[in-house]
Amino acid sequence: MSTGSGAASAPAPDGHDDPTTPDTPRTSRTSMFASLKVRNYRLFFVGQVVSNIGTWMQRIAQDWLVLSLTGSSAAVGITTALQFLPMLLFGLYGGVLVDRLRKRPTLLVTQSAMALTALFLAVLTLTGHVQVWHVYVAAFAMGLATVVDNPARQSFVSELVGRDQLQNAVSLNSANFQSARLVGPAVAGLMITGVGTGWAFLANGLSFVAPLSCLLLMRARDLHAVQRAPRGKGQLREGLHYVAGRPELIWTITLVGFIGTFGFNFPVFLSAFADDVFDAGAGAYSLFNTLMAVGSLAGALLAARRGTARLRVLIAAAVAFGALEIVAATAPGLWLFALLMVPIGVFSMTVNVTANTSIQMSTDPAMRGRVMALYMMVFLGGSPVGAPIVGWVTDTYGARVGFAAGGAVAATAAVVIGLVLARVGNLRLAVGWHRGHPQVRFVPRERREALAPAA
């Protein structure tokens, strides 16, 4: 990790670390939970386990409360849009702030703000004074905190574990989030039906005690030092120029943008299949989401075993993800469709983890906040932008066409961007045999010419 005072850009990675190098030696697989040996990261992980469960509880309770107050699905959509709107409007500015600030104190502030927002909503709901505009304000406030919290958390991981264990830590973070996705909604459902939505908000507000305590318990001397960007004009423009000048960054973010906008709109796709195609109701919708969460958890744990983040893995996973969506769109029966949610979850998480890790490893630490803010803005902002388009296609032409179209866009974008990256890296397609099996891979042009038989 570059920490020198005069580093203007990331040092050129060697052949072992470069995710775009096609013929680097295969690294030995790391332990699936290697990062948990680091005390600071272990504290971070434990705090996030509790907080993520609370976050999923709040998501379910918030949507249910808005629906109960208004009886309108459109109002639920407005709430979701308000929560994502700050990231779309101010995400890049949040990245500039994160690059200037120390990450741990920043997270203490943002996590405290999110806790207070949840507690504010809990008090209003439990006292019977809550109105829908209160929920709108709370959603927007949570989104404002996320503008800084998200890039700060993403960047802080490298300070906790260093470059060598970055992919493992990012993968375990994703596994953490997906595990909470299996637990949080179920607990929220029981709490809402048993004691009411206000108690779910209260539980989320109190859950922030865990990450705040863990942040305070960390040893500052064990953090990996990172150069912070000084205050100055033009830092937002500098960040955009930095990304634009690095193909491995701009094309990875572009690919994630296409997939996030058109391929990740699962609430639209899965609800349409459960209701319109299979006429199976909310139970089937819950089943589809649960199986996808199981696949996503498995994908995150598998990613944790890989020692490096390679762009060829990202491209292959994106192609497989799009192809599986097309196959699922043609599934004749409910159970076959449901089972396909598991591999779709695996490859969607492989895309997520590999893109996140490769971007962080390719970015100078002093620019990481701005780059990760752009990445998260594209990734999180894609779904709200694409949802109306995907929803219109699904309503007009049917759920099968909508799902297949989303998969086709994802697979096509992956193939095109893979070819662009191969051209930028002066690579060519090589077909051969390895240990008795066919092998297709990209190799440097010079190597392929050397391997070609003489005329």
Side-chain angles (χ1 to χ4, degrees), residues 238-297:
E238 180 187 10
L240 295 175
H241 287 168
Y242 180 88
V243 173
R246 287 160 175 77
E248 72 276 12
L249 295 180
I250 188 64
W251 288 112
T252 299
I253 292 174
T254 300
L255 175 58
V256 168
F258 274 106
I259 294 176
T261 301
F262 298 102
F264 275 13
N265 277 290
F266 295 115
V268 175
F269 297 138
L270 301 187
S271 60
F273 267 84
D275 190 38
D276 300 332
V277 177
F278 299 121
D279 194 23
Y285 180 58
S286 176
L287 174 65
F288 298 157
N289 279 282
T290 300
L291 290 175
M292 183 171 292
V294 170
S296 297
L297 177 59

Side-chain angles (χ1 to χ4, degrees), residues 12 24 77 138 180 326 390:
T24 51
I326 296 172
V390 170

